[in-house]
Amino acid sequence: MENNHSKIIVEKYRGKTRRFVMGGIFMAIALLVYFVFGKSNSPDSLTTFNMTPGGSSASLPDWVFPTGSYLSFLAGICLVLGAYQLVRGFGKLANAFLALVSMIFIFSFLSWAASGGSMNLAGLLRITIIRAVPLTLGGLSGILCERAGIVNIAIEGMMLTAAFVSTIVASLTNLWVGMLAGIFAGAVMGWILGILSIKYKVNQVIAGTVINIFATGLTSFLSQKFIQKTDYQFLNEPGMFPQIEVPVLSKIPFIGPILFNHNIYIFLTIILVAVLSIALFHTRWGLRMRSVGEHPKAADTLGINVIKTRYISVILGGMMAGFAGTYFTLGSSGRFDELLTAGRGFIGLAAMIFGNYNPVGTFGASILFGFFDALAVRASILNVPIPSEFLGMTPYLVTMIVLAGLVGKGHAPAAEGTPYEKESL
């Protein structure tokens, strides 16, 4: 009884702390928007947002507005929301209002950056969607493994291996066979991770690191030995999946070119997010997999084969990472280069944690990461007096804030990283 009472007191203290911290964040953003973004512009400065991506036929007039007036209005909204959060708090809606204030801050930054000039807002959002694809798929790979209790640090190596294999096979056959070959390569790497982690009970972080090092060394060696040489250039010409314009929807101004004019990877990613969300939280298979990750002993007692379930999950995670790897060559660049995944597997893991091990949350976090990745390039073009490296690290700062529990606690599976020992009768 006393223990429960103590827990209630602790939760109330945490809730009060989050209320004040979040209210302080709202107020700080209001001051930043008004004094740093708003006051730094001349009274007659205008911001122009181009609402049509380059090359799109679905045109929309540019959005031109007075920078200072808009930023003052947005700062006032943040100030009111911050004052209310400090005095009474939004309760369960606090995170929703945090998302709203964050969007206001991002819009204010873009307005300030484009003040006196123009920025292609539609193009920026389109690139954001594209750059979020491999991060989302990497995060989904992590979810499949870690929801079953297996830490998957090897996403980067799985993606790199699949990218290499898909390039070779697609160059010799066609794009679809290359994609399937890459997915199979990811499955093999997932199976290896399962053997090391489940059968031999190797420390899962070490096992994943070994796979990453092995994949990096092997693909770099084979790339230098063969496909980078003139005699074998035909092995590095896989081609790329074409753009797909969704009839009618792709012609909608602004929204159409951003969401409905991409190659097959973007559409399949959205479908996979929806399918995995349903499978994890609304099917018997998902319940069993999550139970294995939370309390494997109890799951075993109920007749669930813990070892088999973990093997299936880690192989599915490998297949998802393999699919992500094929994106880099068959959906993005059309060729293989050494280390072309560039740490996207690790960023996918960060998106998974930020998204609280939830497919939809992971997709949202990947959108945020992709946005700042795209913004870092645009900011350098606009000569914004902020280093692009700082913009690039912003999502990681946000992730650390989330992990610190200031906007709600993340919940990793309880048995994550713990090998299962089946008790003998």
Side-chain angles (χ1 to χ4, degrees):
M1 191 73 177
E2 290 182 4
N3 191 29
N4 290 335
H5 183 65
S6 299
K7 286 183 178 179
I8 293 173
I9 293 175
V10 170
E11 286 300 319
K12 285 185 177 179
Y13 175 76
R14 286 178 176 172
K16 192 173 183 180
T17 301
R18 283 198 294 270
R19 192 184 95 196
F20 284 115
V21 169
M22 201 173 292
I25 292 174
F26 291 2
M27 301 287 278
I29 288 177
L31 296 175
L32 182 64
V33 169
Y34 183 76
F35 288 104
V36 177
F37 297 157
K39 287 297 184 180
S40 62
N41 291 284
S42 60
D44 58 344
S45 64
L46 298 175
T47 294
T48 302
F49 284 147
N50 306 125
M51 307 300 284
T52 305
S56 174
S57 58
S59 61
L60 193 70
D62 292 344
W63 180 14
V64 183
F65 56 88
T67 311
S69 300
Y70 269 55
L71 293 183
S72 297
F73 175 71
L74 294 175
I77 293 176
C78 293
L79 193 64
V80 171
L81 294 177
Y84 187 88
Q85 173 68 9
L86 286 172
V87 175
R88 299 195 60 179
F90 290 105
K92 294 181 179 180
L93 295 176
N95 284 349
F97 280 98
L98 175 63
L100 173 62
V101 172
S102 299
M103 292 176 64
I104 290 175
F105 172 76
I106 290 172
F107 179 82
S108 300
F109 174 81
L110 294 178
S111 301
W112 168 72
S115 177
S118 65
M119 173 184 289
N120 193 321
L121 181 63
L124 177 65
L125 296 179
R126 176 179 165 81
I127 295 174
T128 294
I129 298 295
I130 294 172
R131 299 205 174 191
V133 168
L135 309 183
T136 302
L137 295 173
L140 296 182
S141 173
I143 289 173
L144 283 165
C145 297
E146 303 205 17
R147 279 287 185 175
I150 303 296
V151 176
N152 189 1
I153 300 295
I155 297 174
E156 182 78 7
M158 294 174 178
M159 291 166 65
L160 196 58
T161 302
F164 181 82
V165 171
S166 65
T167 298
I168 300 295
V169 175
S171 298
L172 295 174
T173 55
N174 60 63
L175 291 170
W176 288 103
V177 177
M179 178 191 287
L180 293 175
I183 294 173
F184 178 75
V188 171
M189 300 298 279
W191 174 73
I192 293 173
L193 177 63
I195 291 290
L196 295 173
S197 302
I198 301 170
K199 182 176 181 179
Y200 294 107
K201 299 178 177 59
V202 177
N203 181 287
Q204 294 172 14
V205 175
I206 294 175
T209 303
V210 168
I211 290 175
N212 286 333
I213 295 172
F214 172 75
T216 300
L218 182 63
T219 56
S220 297
F221 170 76
L222 293 177
S223 176
Q224 293 178 9
K225 190 73 174 177
F226 296 104
I227 64 176
Q228 288 186 10
K229 292 186 176 181
T230 306
D231 294 341
Y232 298 98
Q233 277 295 306
F234 66 93
L235 294 176
N236 199 14
E237 298 174 352
M240 288 175 56
F241 282 98
Q243 299 286 317
I244 300 174
E245 287 192 22
V246 180
V248 182
L249 295 178
S250 63
K251 301 301 181 182
I252 300 174
F254 189 67
I255 297 175
I258 294 173
L259 298 179
F260 303 110
N261 186 8
H262 296 281
N263 64 33
I264 193 172
Y265 281 94
I266 282 78
F267 301 118
L268 287 179
T269 297
I270 296 173
I271 292 172
L272 286 171
V273 169
V275 169
L276 187 56
S277 296
I278 295 171
L280 273 178
F281 303 110
H282 300 284
T283 67
R284 181 180 298 180
W285 171 80
L287 178 61
R288 290 184 174 185
M289 190 182 83
R290 288 184 288 120
S291 67
V292 165
E294 293 290 344
H295 204 310
K297 188 173 292 185
D300 195 4
T301 303
L302 294 173
I304 299 173
N305 190 326
V306 175
I307 302 300
K308 180 181 177 181
T309 302
R310 287 190 167 181
Y311 266 115
I312 292 174
S313 297
V314 78
I315 291 173
L316 287 175
M319 293 173 70
M320 188 69 73
F323 179 61
T326 66
Y327 165 80
F328 289 98
T329 52
L330 308 184
S332 179
S333 65
R335 58 175 285 115
F336 180 85
D337 294 300
E338 292 181 45
L339 305 176
L340 86 168
T341 51
R344 295 298 195 280
F346 299 110
I347 301 175
L349 276 178
M352 175 198 71
I353 297 171
F354 192 176
N356 200 18
Y357 302 85
N358 183 294
V360 176
T362 299
F363 180 62
S366 298
I367 292 291
L368 178 66
F369 278 61
F371 172 79
F372 280 102
D373 191 13
L375 182 60
V377 178
R378 293 298 177 96
S380 62
I381 296 174
L382 290 170
N383 296 319
V384 174
I386 297 177
S388 60
E389 292 81 6
F390 180 81
L391 293 174
M393 75 180 185
T394 301
Y396 305 100
L397 296 177
V398 176
T399 302
M400 287 190 288
I401 292 173
V402 172
L403 294 178
L406 297 181
V407 294
K409 295 290 288 182
H411 299 281
E416 181 185 47
T418 305
Y420 180 64
E421 292 279 2
K422 186 175 178 64
E423 296 182 357
S424 57
L425 300 176

